[in-house]
Structures are given as structure tokens and as C-alpha cells.
Amino acid sequence: MTVQYARSANVYDLRQASPAAPPSMLHTDDGFDLFQGLGARMSFDRDEEIFGEGEPADFVYRVISGAVRTYRVLSDGRRQIGDFHLAGDLFGLEAGREHMFSAEAIGHCEILVCRRSALFGIAARSAELGQALWAQTALELERAQAHLMLLGRKSACERVATFLAALADRCPGDREIVLHMSRQDIADYLGLTIETVSRTFTQLQSDGVIALNGCRHVQILSRGALARLTQ
Amino acid sequence: MTVQYARSANVYDLRQASPAAPPSMLHTDDGFDLFQGLGARMSFDRDEEIFGEGEPADFVYRVISGAVRTYRVLSDGRRQIGDFHLAGDLFGLEAGREHMFSAEAIGHCEILVCRRSALFGIAARSAELGQALWAQTALELERAQAHLMLLGRKSACERVATFLAALADRCPGDREIVLHMSRQDIADYLGLTIETVSRTFTQLQSDGVIALNGCRHVQILSRGALARLTQ
DNA sequence: CGTATCGTTGAAATATATCAATCGCAGTGG
DNA sequence: CCACTGCGATTGATATATTTCAACGATACG
């Protein structure tokens, strides 16, 4: 059997429950089922820590409902959020022994938790699952690289636009984006201050690019304009 | 055989030629030899493209001598350098079909080039090598995450200090750091302008933290002071 | 030795941060 | 039901770090 290296064609798509995934010898359906078979459900309250930077990475997590932030802090408290994880997303998978960042529930969350050793036990015998673990890490790297471009070279407006466009891409059908996270979370993700994020939202609103229904509900009025601002 | 998930204990350490690595059934010695057995030597001139973003990722590369930058550009030319790769470093390994960024030689370079399919052929049968490929991607992710913190939350001075400290860590014995890259490269890596980088170097010099012997040779006078600036 | 390129320095402009006040909403208790 | 409270978001005024624009200096190269 050959190694499948196209992420999209992977037997174990660890990221999303894709009904179209081919059946596997190890499990009934796709990655999601595999994971579910192995994992246990847990729930976390708002701002509750799921794991901390430096802790042993003995578990792998998937968001069932709610949202999670992964982040690192400098000694003086400056925080950089590495990523937001929404329903269906996997997080906390490490190749090394320890977590490289901390994870917290943004609001109340249902999380599927799976022993890493269980996955690893299978991966030792199955090149396919090993491949899927790799693809998951590669996906995170890809997101980190896009984030690098954003933080290093984009203006505040471009950052916010990129952020909103990425969220909109996750739920292409929906008329409205629901922001699970606070302005502070967004600011710490985009490398800005809360005030700049707020000002940029109102700017985009007065330019007719978005509409805000309360600060957590964003409607994208012009997809084209938003894409142009994205750079 | 179990999967070894501690990066340091990996049989195939793809990143460095470590003579201490245990022998493998697939090859004589360690990751470096394995790669060398499979690869072909090539050389690239200054600013020559090694591969471009979006091109098929059919090869994996290792720096023999010289230095390489990997980067992405926005449509208007703004560039973000993702990483610098020095002697011994692996780069261009992708889980997906295409390269996620471009790579160029910073100066004249000797590069070891290996067909990805060769590695993948082995990885399909060996959980160990699969593991090593994963560890390599995880290492890149780890570096990207540190870079994220730098770009999102550190001041210009902290960025430069972090950059120099990281370089110094790579060659702990040497009294002097050799900068293979231009100020523009450093600026595009740190998310700053060339002028700010230059000013920060002179600032660090007048603070007695570093000494410059020509703009490409940096001596670290106070490791402690530099570490403190790193945050 | 001239020329091109890269790096440094200075002065001015600007995007974003900081500081501070107000607003608005959700939850709470009288 | 309505005022009270608290927290997050918005807005304004000001400060500042970094960028931009421009000139000059240094270094490498033919």
C-alpha cells in the first residue's frame, strides 16, 4: 500500500467529519468516527484552561461545540493567540512530549478528548494514520504561515479583513458570522490592541463592507470589497 | 515496535547529522546519511530560486553549505520571510502536493536534493521514518509559533535581540555570529524595515550588548543583556 | 579607481498604541 | 418591573514607535 500524501484524499481526515471519506480497515467510516470511538467527551467553562504550555501532551482534542483559543504569553503578560479552534477542529496534537502552547475554552465548550497513546499505537502499525497525524501538523503549519504573513506585513485593516474573510470561508452558506471570541481575543490574534480592532470594525461598517448586529454578529455586505482589503 | 514520539530520541533525525543516533535497519547510520544516500548534490547562486510557491513539492532539500530563505510575497510585493535555513537544515518538505512558499539561495549554496517519493516509499513501510517526517514538520511548526509571538507582540528591539540570540544558540562555541543575510532579509524576517533593523543594531552596539565587525559579523558582548532584551 | 549596491543616519510623517471617558448590554437584586 | 452594577465595546485625544523619504557613507567589484 502506498502512502497517500494528498491531504484532501486522506483516509483519516482528522480535521473534519467528511461523510465522503472512504472506509478504513481500522474503523467504520472516517477520521471523525475513529476519533470518537477512542475519545471521551468533556466540557469546559468560559476561560477554563484545557491544557497549559509545557504540560505533557498526553491527549489530543477535538472541538464538538464552542470555541477554543491556543496561545502563548510573554513574561510581562503580552499574549499572542496562535489560533482559534471551532467545532470540528482538532487541537493539542504534538509530535513532542509537551504542549507548545496553552489552550482555553472561549465560552462553554464540549470537547472530545483522546489519549495520544491510543492514536500512536495505531500509527505505529498504520502508515495511513501516521500520515494523517502528519497532515494535521502540516495543516497547522500552513495556518501558522498565513498568520506570519498577516502579522509581519499586513496593516490593521488588512488583518481584520483577513480574519473576517477566513471566518466567512468556514461557513460559506451563513449570512452572518458569529464571533465566539471577544475583541481582546481578536486583538491578541491579530497583533493589535482592542481599540484598533474596534475602530477597524466601525471603519469597515461605515465603508459598507460589513454590518454589525451587536458586537458578536457580523454580516458581510460585500464579499468582493472584503477580499480586496485582504490583500 | 513502538512509535518513538520524543523528537530527541528519534532514529531518523532529519534535521541534524547526529553521530549519536542509533543505527537503523534501513540505513547505516542516522538521518543525515539516509538522506545523503538518496539525494543529489546541487549548487545555487545568490538569489537563485530553488523552488517557488505553488510548484509541485517533488523534492526535499538539505543545506550543505550557505544559507536559504523561504518566504511568501503579497501581490504588491511585501515580503515575509518565514525562515532562514543554514547548514544541516532541511527545508521544502511538504505534506501536501505543492510548496507553500518559495525558497531562494541567500548566497552561493550547496544543496542536497532528494526525491520526496523516495522518502515516502520508505515511510509507507516504516513507521519510524514516517515519524521522522512528522517530527520535521512539527519542528517547523514550533519555529513558526515562536516567530508568531515575535511578530505579533514584540518591539523592534526585542525582535532583533531574539533573532541574534537564536543565531547565537545555533553555534554556541563561536565568538562571532556570521550573518549570511542582508539587512533587507532580516527586516523581512522580523516584520520591520531595513532602517529600523539598522538603527536597532547600532542601538545595541552603543548599549554595549553587541559589537559589529563589518555589518555581517556580530559579536555578542553580553549574553545576559541580550537574553533580557529577548523577553 | 570608478561604480553599484548595501548600510547607516537624519528629519518628517503616520499608523497604531496608550490613556481616558462614555456607552450599551446582560445579569442581579430590590 | 426597573434601577443598579459590572464588564466589554466604542469613541476621542494624545503619545510614540516605526515607517517613510532623503541624503550620505562604506564596502565590494569589475
Side-chain angles (χ1 to χ4, degrees):
Chain A
M1 147 140 248
T2 66
V3 175
Q4 301 177 298
Y5 50 89
R7 232 163 297 146
S8 57
N10 219 303
V11 170
Y12 302 101
D13 186 345
L14 290 176
R15 184 175 169 75
Q16 290 186 309
S18 59
S24 107
M25 59 180 185
L26 289 158
H27 236 272
T28 54
D29 196 356
D30 51 21
F32 189 81
D33 281 344
L34 167 73
F35 199 89
Q36 214 164 32
L38 296 172
R41 210 183 180 99
M42 289 185 71
S43 74
F44 293 87
D45 285 331
R46 181 170 188 267
D47 294 334
E48 196 178 343
E49 178 170 289
I50 299 170
F51 57 78
E53 189 181 336
E55 289 180 5
D58 295 332
F59 298 93
V60 184
Y61 306 81
R62 182 195 298 280
V63 181
I64 297 171
S65 69
V68 170
R69 57 179 171 255
T70 49
Y71 65 93
R72 299 174 87 172
V73 286
L74 294 177
S75 53
D76 66 351
R78 279 174 285 174
R79 182 178 70 159
Q80 178 63 47
I81 291 182
D83 222 336
F84 295 115
H85 306 274
L86 310 184
D89 289 351
L90 207 97
F91 67 98
L93 173 65
E94 305 280 350
R97 222 183 297 273
E98 294 176 0
H99 284 296
M100 302 305 304
F101 41 76
S102 305
E104 283 175 358
I106 290 176
H108 181 82
C109 276
E110 295 288 326
I111 306 285
L112 200 57
V113 185
C114 172
R115 291 205 84 82
R116 190 172 71 155
S117 57
L119 287 179
F120 276 35
I122 300 173
R125 282 169 278 112
S126 157
E128 286 170 77
L129 181 58
Q131 184 67 16
L133 296 176
W134 182 26
Q136 168 65 24
T137 299
L139 184 75
E140 284 178 49
L141 179 59
E142 193 175 323
R143 289 177 63 87
Q145 276 160 355
H147 201 179
L148 237 45
M149 182 92 247
L150 179 144
L151 294 175
R153 287 300 178 215
K154 289 190 183 181
S155 70
C157 180
E158 288 166 347
R159 294 182 200 198
V160 172
T162 303
F163 172 68
L164 290 176
L167 276 182
D169 283 344
R170 291 211 43 161
C171 33
D174 302 10
R175 294 188 49 76
E176 215 178 43
I177 301 172
V178 179
L179 302 176
H180 293 260
M181 65 293 289
S182 69
R183 292 291 188 270
Q184 186 63 63
D185 285 335
I186 298 173
D188 288 347
Y189 178 74
L190 298 178
L192 300 169
T193 60
I194 188 177
E195 293 94 335
T196 300
V197 171
S198 185
R199 276 185 251 270
T200 307
F201 270 105
T202 54
Q203 176 71 48
L204 289 172
Q205 191 169 28
S206 54
D207 291 351
V209 180
I210 62 171
L212 291 166
N213 308 334
C215 62
R216 299 292 182 109
H217 294 257
V218 183
Q219 193 181 343
I220 296 180
L221 300 175
S222 167
R223 208 50 140 62
L226 191 67
R228 249 168 283 131
L229 291 171
T230 290
Q231 249 297 342
Chain B
M1 149 141 249
T2 66
V3 175
Q4 300 176 299
Y5 50 89
R7 230 164 299 145
S8 55
N10 220 303
V11 170
Y12 301 101
D13 186 346
L14 289 177
R15 185 174 169 77
Q16 289 185 309
S18 59
S24 105
M25 58 179 184
L26 288 158
H27 237 271
T28 54
D29 197 354
D30 51 22
F32 189 81
D33 280 344
L34 167 73
F35 199 88
Q36 214 164 34
L38 296 173
R41 211 181 179 100
M42 290 184 70
S43 75
F44 293 89
D45 285 330
R46 181 171 188 267
D47 295 334
E48 196 177 343
E49 178 170 291
I50 299 170
F51 57 79
E53 189 180 336
E55 289 180 6
D58 294 332
F59 298 94
V60 184
Y61 306 82
R62 183 195 297 282
V63 181
I64 298 171
S65 68
V68 171
R69 57 178 171 254
T70 49
Y71 65 93
R72 300 174 87 172
V73 286
L74 294 177
S75 53
D76 65 351
R78 280 174 285 174
R79 182 179 70 160
Q80 178 64 46
I81 291 182
D83 221 336
F84 295 115
H85 305 275
L86 311 183
D89 289 351
L90 207 97
F91 66 99
L93 173 65
E94 304 279 351
R97 224 183 296 272
E98 293 176 1
H99 284 297
M100 302 305 304
F101 41 76
S102 304
E104 283 175 357
I106 290 176
H108 181 82
C109 277
E110 295 289 325
I111 305 284
L112 199 57
V113 185
C114 172
R115 291 204 84 83
R116 189 171 71 154
S117 57
L119 286 179
F120 277 35
I122 300 172
R125 280 169 278 113
S126 157
E128 285 170 76
L129 181 58
Q131 185 67 16
L133 295 177
W134 182 27
Q136 168 65 24
T137 300
L139 184 75
E140 284 178 51
L141 179 59
E142 193 175 324
R143 290 177 62 86
Q145 276 160 354
H147 201 178
L148 236 46
M149 181 92 246
L150 180 145
L151 293 175
R153 287 301 179 212
K154 288 190 182 180
S155 70
C157 180
E158 289 166 347
R159 293 182 201 198
V160 172
T162 304
F163 173 68
L164 290 176
L167 276 183
D169 283 344
R170 292 212 40 162
C171 33
D174 303 9
R175 292 188 52 73
E176 215 177 45
I177 300 171
V178 179
L179 301 176
H180 293 260
M181 66 293 290
S182 69
R183 292 289 188 271
Q184 185 63 64
D185 285 336
I186 297 173
D188 287 348
Y189 178 73
L190 298 178
L192 301 170
T193 59
I194 188 177
E195 294 94 335
T196 300
V197 171
S198 185
R199 277 185 250 269
T200 307
F201 270 105
T202 54
Q203 177 70 50
L204 290 172
Q205 191 169 28
S206 55
D207 291 352
V209 180
I210 62 171
L212 290 166
N213 309 333
C215 62
R216 297 293 182 110
H217 294 258
V218 183
Q219 195 181 341
I220 295 179
L221 300 175
S222 167
R223 207 52 139 62
L226 191 68
R228 248 167 284 131
L229 291 172
T230 290
Q231 248 298 341

